[in-house]
Amino acid sequence: MTEEKIIGWKSLSINDLPKPLHQLSGDEIQRRKCISKVMTFVLKYFTKEFVNRGFEWLLPVIFSASTDPLWPDPGASIEKRIEVEIYGKKVRATLSMIVHKIMACSLIHPKLFTLSPNVRIERRDRALTGVHAYEFTQLDFEARNASSSDIRSLVEDLFVGLMKELKKFMRDELVYLDRYSCLQIPNPPFKVLNRVELEEKYGGEWDKQLPLEISEPVWVVNIPREFYDFEDFENNYWDNYDLLLPGYGEVLSGAKREWEYSKIIIKMERDHVRKENYSTLLKLAKEKRIKPSAGAGIGLERLVSWIVGAKHIGETQLFPRVPGIVYEL
Ligand code: ASN
């Protein structure tokens, strides 16, 4: 990849911000058509693959009393949480479907996925990172009794399959977007790097530095974050993972889950997470009805941004959701 193609956490200029649909030039419309074709292809590929592999396809929820706390999370920068009252109850716009995923995976579907709108009102200073949108779609999946390495292998398999099919069936679009030759089919298993070592090497900004130095996707494991990711207290190790893509950064995060009531409680209290927002999950965990599982979520617009070489993630959204900028549509 050439220097200009390096995208992601670089600071963009105001001119790089995606425009609303009705202001696009003829050439820009042409480019957006190609990006939409790639998005359609990616959606078709993943939904087909998950269904064929026995995953149940769940429709998303938008408002619930219980949603992802996104806290503590080193990468989170939520400016505002959307809470509204309906029928006399306080509900929150979905930050991610993690709680629903864990419950559904434990109680009914051992393997499931959903395409879920996530509303994350990112701080407005993230407008120019190129990788943040205040609404995006997450392809979230979960499998009962799966281990972290099961999920990583599944993702590697899906990823390699996607790259092969894209190169085969989306050749014209990728050539038009000047991405055909940059996109290489990676060789699994992808490298697994420990966040502790990355911090030693790059400091706290490892997630921005590392993508500039890799030429294949890599896993980063052991990232301290929300209560639902499994934490080995004795070895001080988080059994979770992020997938980072070359020249871009994180497009997927996931983990083995906590399922034991006593551990979940310890972590919620330690991290000041409001237990009252998770009373059903806690009740089920207490009754031992939460089962061990593992899963992950793919940020679809991020993945497609990387594939098409978008300057800003909003280019993959016909109606861009740029932090700090609210268009009429
Ligand atoms: N989807 C993520 C996971 O599966 C959770 C998140 O989006 N915060 O772990």
Side-chain angles (χ1 to χ4, degrees):
M1 261 190 260
T2 61
E3 178 60 27
E4 300 85 274
K5 292 260 168 56
I6 291 177
I7 46 182
W9 280 72
K10 256 175 48 163
S11 211
L12 300 175
S13 88
I14 298 281
N15 296 332
D16 298 321
L17 288 176
K19 289 187 260 176
L21 185 53
H22 63 283
Q23 287 177 11
L24 298 179
S25 68
D27 281 354
E28 286 166 335
I29 289 273
Q30 215 37 50
R31 184 174 155 79
R32 293 300 180 90
K33 277 190 182 173
C34 280
I35 297 177
S36 289
K37 279 219 153 67
V38 172
M39 176 64 87
T40 302
F41 189 87
V42 169
L43 285 166
K44 182 174 141 194
Y45 172 83
F46 278 122
T47 51
K48 188 183 89 203
E49 284 297 325
F50 277 110
V51 170
N52 287 348
R53 291 166 194 246
F55 284 71
E56 227 55 66
W57 187 348
L58 264 62
L59 294 177
V61 295
I62 310 288
F63 289 114
S64 307
S66 193
T67 190
D68 194 330
L70 278 194
W71 175 264
D73 181 337
S77 74
I78 301 299
E79 176 170 310
K80 177 179 183 161
R81 283 162 196 272
I82 306 298
E83 297 184 343
V84 288
E85 203 180 288
I86 53 172
Y87 311 118
K89 287 222 165 182
K90 194 194 275 178
V91 290
R92 298 168 177 86
T94 296
L95 285 151
S96 92
M97 274 188 54
I98 186 73
V99 183
H100 300 76
K101 248 185 8 169
I102 293 175
M103 296 242 288
C105 187
S106 294
L107 300 181
I108 172 160
H109 299 306
K111 297 206 273 183
L112 60 90
F113 76 100
T114 181
L115 284 166
S116 129
N118 287 192
V119 181
R120 300 185 182 176
I121 311 302
E122 301 281 355
R123 282 200 323 257
R124 55 199 79 196
D125 61 16
R126 291 197 160 188
L128 298 175
T129 63
V131 298
H132 292 97
Y134 69 83
E135 265 181 51
F136 67 95
T137 300
Q138 183 160 197
L139 199 168
D140 239 332
F141 58 96
E142 196 71 18
R144 200 186 292 169
N145 293 323
S147 66
S148 287
S149 59
D150 293 336
I151 299 295
R152 289 200 293 262
S153 305
L154 168 67
V155 170
E156 288 170 359
D157 202 35
L158 290 170
F159 193 86
V160 170
L162 174 66
M163 298 315 290
K164 283 187 182 158
E165 293 207 8
L166 277 168
K167 294 207 81 163
K168 196 163 158 196
F169 298 109
M170 289 281 107
R171 190 191 168 102
D172 291 351
E173 288 75 11
L174 294 174
V175 167
Y176 182 90
L177 295 163
D178 200 15
R179 294 293 289 165
Y180 187 81
S181 46
C182 321
L183 293 175
Q184 303 297 331
I185 295 163
N187 297 303
F190 304 159
K191 259 195 203 147
V192 180
L193 306 173
N194 192 317
R195 183 259 325 162
V196 175
E197 281 148 34
L198 293 173
E199 276 177 358
E200 277 162 19
K201 187 164 174 198
Y202 302 105
E205 301 278 280
W206 59 266
D207 53 332
K208 285 142 208 132
Q209 282 304 312
L210 181 64
L212 306 178
E213 293 182 16
I214 53 176
S215 53
E216 294 250 312
V218 296
W219 293 106
V220 177
V221 296
N222 188 23
I223 307 165
R225 52 190 180 207
E226 293 87 350
F227 73 84
Y228 47 77
D229 283 9
F230 189 91
E231 193 178 347
D232 177 345
F233 288 155
E234 267 167 38
N235 297 305
N236 198 15
Y237 179 82
W238 289 76
D239 195 355
N240 58 16
Y241 35 86
D242 275 2
L243 182 68
L244 273 66
L245 299 183
Y248 193 81
E250 185 256 312
V251 294
L252 169 148
S253 70
K256 177 177 156 180
R257 308 300 172 194
E258 296 289 3
W259 73 95
E260 283 176 306
Y261 176 77
S262 57
K263 278 187 80 187
I264 298 176
I265 285 285
I266 289 172
K267 293 173 79 178
M268 283 185 170
E269 287 177 355
R270 177 191 70 189
D271 301 338
H272 308 290
V273 171
R274 287 193 207 153
K275 282 183 279 183
E276 64 274 22
N277 291 352
Y278 302 94
S279 45
T280 308
L281 181 73
L282 288 169
K283 177 178 174 294
L284 292 172
K286 200 171 195 174
E287 293 166 356
K288 296 197 180 342
R289 293 174 69 199
I290 297 298
K291 305 283 183 247
S293 68
I298 301 169
L300 273 173
E301 290 94 331
R302 281 194 180 177
L303 177 60
V304 172
S305 290
W306 176 75
I307 295 168
V308 302
K311 272 206 173 128
H312 194 285
I313 189 169
E315 265 191 275
T316 66
Q317 301 176 309
L318 272 196
F319 303 101
R321 271 39 193 150
V322 180
I325 303 177
V326 177
Y327 296 136
E328 187 172 339
L329 294 179

